[in-house]
Amino acid sequence: MIRLLDDLDAEGAAVGVRVDINSPIGEDGGLADDARLLAHVDTISELCRRGARVALLAHQGRPGGEDFTELRAHAKRLDELVDAPIEYCDSTFSSDARARIDALDSGTAVLLENTRFYSEEYMSFTPDDAVNTYLVCRLAPALDAYVNDAFATSHRRQPSIIGFPQRLPSFAGRVMERELDVLGNIARSPEPRIYVLGGAKVDDSIDVARSVLERGLADAVLTAGIVGNAFLLADGVSLGAASAAVVNERSHDAVKNAGDLLDDFSHRIYMPRDVAIERDGERCELDLEELPSDSSAMDIGARTVATYAEILEDAGTAILNGPAGVFEDDRFETGTLELYKAATRAETSIVGGGDTASALRKLGLLDGFDHVSTGGGAALQMLTGDTLVGVEALDR
Ligand SMILES: Nc1ncnc2c1ncn2[C@@H]1O[C@H](COP(=O)(O)OP(=O)(O)OP(=O)(O)O)[C@@H](O)[C@H]1O
Ligand SMILES: O=C(O)[C@H](O)COP(=O)(O)O
């Protein structure tokens, strides 16, 4: 059974809270988006209000990446967002970090340094090995309890996710609780259940499509974005070399795997009927019969939108991951805008994926959805009907 914050005796307790505030970083090195920080405000505020002494654990970026940074700016922004003081500590489990936790007053918090500054946090462990890492061995004695609110990282076998629950009484935070309520109960959501798989993660999306079709979770899968182009190629549509190159850049096996899936479930998989390309600097829509084109297919066309919208408006549950086109470019945002608008008219609408959430924010559609997941890879894994290692670790 997973214990919730209601089960935690917070007053005076030193509580380690794993959050996911991994965010886009701007050219000036500051935070370019604070959506993931906002998501955790409820959990952090509640624990501070209830008198806990909160030690926040989080990662930012991946070693070597441009967004691999310290968490000073995150702490400053959290301090503004949360109605309790939040300090920053430039180490994660050193004696200084432990002293800072010991010195916390009830109702205050400290954000410890990027966990991925330590190599253990960028490796995959079994739960038994994770419990013996330096991070867990050094930090657990300074804590009375552990809360995992980092749904979006809970598919990672990292010590801050799977190590602490074996050493400390552990609880799910409010973000985790909301995500599990919705994504953990997909099989009980209203039917028909329509999955829309777009975006650029072609292999992941084909895996999700296979899994939900084989498990009977999906009544139909609508494909769009680069994923849709991979299915069109697999179906023998000659899109043109530019579109094929974009698909192959993402995955060498996509077209074959999409073809295998079409062999098994052709009647449940929908593909674009038209696409939008760039011609003379303008958006130009082409029916499949008018292809191939020298330009790459950047969006789905109006006929596809109309067909998909009709299916989505009648859906019991619409589950969407990945934009329908290159939404960052105004000329190619229409497919995503219209498709996502139609999905909000389904009985229940659920969206996963960081890029998808920022597409919705850009298009002003965020509020229309019943659930916008904080997770990218984690949400995709849950949508297949699987659980996450971090969730299993809490279930004791
Ligand atoms: N037809 C297309 N051609 C090229 N790029 C496309 C096309 N359709 C969508 N994209 C791109 O796909 C990207 C988003 O795909 P991705 O699969 O990463 O989304 P996501 O699942 O919401 O994100 P994440 O899981 O990383 O948080 C966008 O940058 C968008 O421009
Ligand atoms: O952005 C995410 O999906 C999570 O923060 C996990 O990050 P990762 O993919 O670098 O492990």
Side-chain angles (χ1 to χ4, degrees):
M1 206 187 67
I2 296 179
R3 288 184 287 179
L4 305 177
L5 286 193
D6 312 270
D7 307 311
L8 168 60
D9 194 2
E11 180 59 47
V15 184
V17 183
R18 178 57 158 107
V19 288
D20 186 329
I21 48 175
N22 186 28
S23 305
I25 301 295
E27 276 168 20
D28 59 352
L31 285 174
D33 183 291
D34 62 4
R36 277 189 162 167
L37 284 75
L38 271 165
H40 291 291
V41 166
D42 284 354
T43 298
I44 304 169
S45 301
E46 176 177 342
L47 285 169
C48 288
R49 205 171 47 245
R50 289 169 54 192
R53 296 156 41 235
V54 177
L56 297 167
L57 283 158
H59 74 277
Q60 170 62 52
R62 299 175 178 184
E66 279 180 9
D67 60 349
F68 187 55
T69 64
E70 63 172 23
L71 297 182
R72 191 184 300 271
H74 302 65
K76 184 166 177 284
R77 185 71 187 123
L78 278 175
D79 187 50
E80 291 160 4
L81 291 171
V82 176
D83 198 16
I86 299 192
E87 339 163 345
Y88 162 68
C89 173
D90 69 358
S91 67
T92 310
F93 55 81
S94 64
S95 49
D96 179 39
R98 297 194 300 269
R100 295 281 291 273
I101 298 172
D102 283 345
L104 282 174
D105 288 328
S106 280
T108 66
V110 60
L111 174 60
L112 302 171
E113 189 51 279
N114 188 345
T115 54
R116 290 189 182 169
F117 280 9
Y118 303 89
S119 52
E120 289 175 335
E121 266 286 284
Y122 203 54
M123 293 167 64
S124 266
F125 287 91
T126 62
D128 285 348
D129 290 336
V131 77
N132 292 320
T133 54
Y134 282 100
L135 174 76
V136 176
C137 290
R138 297 237 169 129
L139 212 48
L143 300 170
D144 300 307
Y146 168 81
V147 170
N148 185 355
D149 212 25
F151 169 79
T153 324
S154 288
H155 55 318
R156 303 284 183 224
R157 299 178 167 276
Q158 292 164 356
S160 70
I161 298 289
I162 59 171
F164 289 105
Q166 300 193 71
R167 290 281 298 265
L168 294 168
S170 295
F171 305 84
R174 297 300 181 202
V175 171
M176 179 68 90
E177 184 184 343
R178 279 196 292 270
E179 295 275 14
L180 294 181
D181 266 354
V182 177
L183 300 179
N185 286 310
I186 284 286
R188 283 183 285 279
S189 66
E191 293 177 279
R193 240 172 264 125
I194 311 298
Y195 280 71
V196 180
L197 299 175
K201 287 192 216 58
V202 189
D203 286 332
D204 289 347
S205 295
I206 294 173
D207 286 350
V208 172
R210 175 167 287 287
S211 176
V212 295
L213 287 165
E214 283 179 349
R215 292 179 196 210
L217 282 174
D219 293 280
V221 173
L222 317 183
T223 65
I226 304 180
V227 179
N229 294 347
F231 275 93
L232 286 172
L233 290 169
D235 200 38
V237 175
S238 154
L239 284 174
S243 296
V246 172
V247 171
N248 290 328
E249 231 168 64
R250 298 281 165 173
S251 158
H252 286 303
D253 303 323
V255 176
K256 178 184 179 312
N257 292 340
D260 291 345
L261 199 55
L262 281 175
D263 286 344
D264 296 339
F265 294 102
S266 64
H267 54 298
R268 291 188 182 225
I269 299 173
Y270 289 70
M271 286 170 275
R273 308 173 64 182
D274 53 355
V275 297
I277 59 154
E278 182 187 325
R279 184 173 285 166
D280 301 328
E282 302 283 324
R283 176 188 177 98
C284 166
E285 297 201 358
L286 298 175
D287 284 344
L288 297 187
E289 300 72 42
E290 297 173 271
L291 295 167
S293 153
D294 290 343
S295 307
S296 183
M298 307 273 269
D299 195 8
I300 54 174
R303 289 180 60 215
T304 310
V305 168
T307 310
Y308 284 9
E310 209 172 297
I311 299 171
L312 285 169
E313 283 163 11
D314 289 339
T317 311
I319 301 151
L320 297 91
N321 186 271
V326 184
F327 72 91
E328 297 92 339
D329 182 330
D330 291 351
R331 294 168 301 174
F332 300 108
E333 69 174 26
T334 328
T336 306
L337 178 67
E338 295 306 326
L339 204 59
Y340 277 67
K341 243 193 230 165
T344 62
R345 295 194 281 273
E347 196 180 326
T348 306
S349 49
I350 299 170
V351 179
D355 276 322
T356 312
S358 61
L360 294 183
R361 206 167 301 119
K362 176 182 180 240
L363 303 171
L365 290 175
L366 212 48
D367 290 342
F369 284 85
D370 293 300
H371 183 74
V372 180
S373 176
T374 51
L380 268 178
Q381 198 172 320
M382 289 287 293
L383 291 178
T384 66
D386 278 344
T387 184
L388 309 178
V389 280
V391 175
E392 274 168 2
L394 289 177
D395 197 356
R396 303 174 70 80

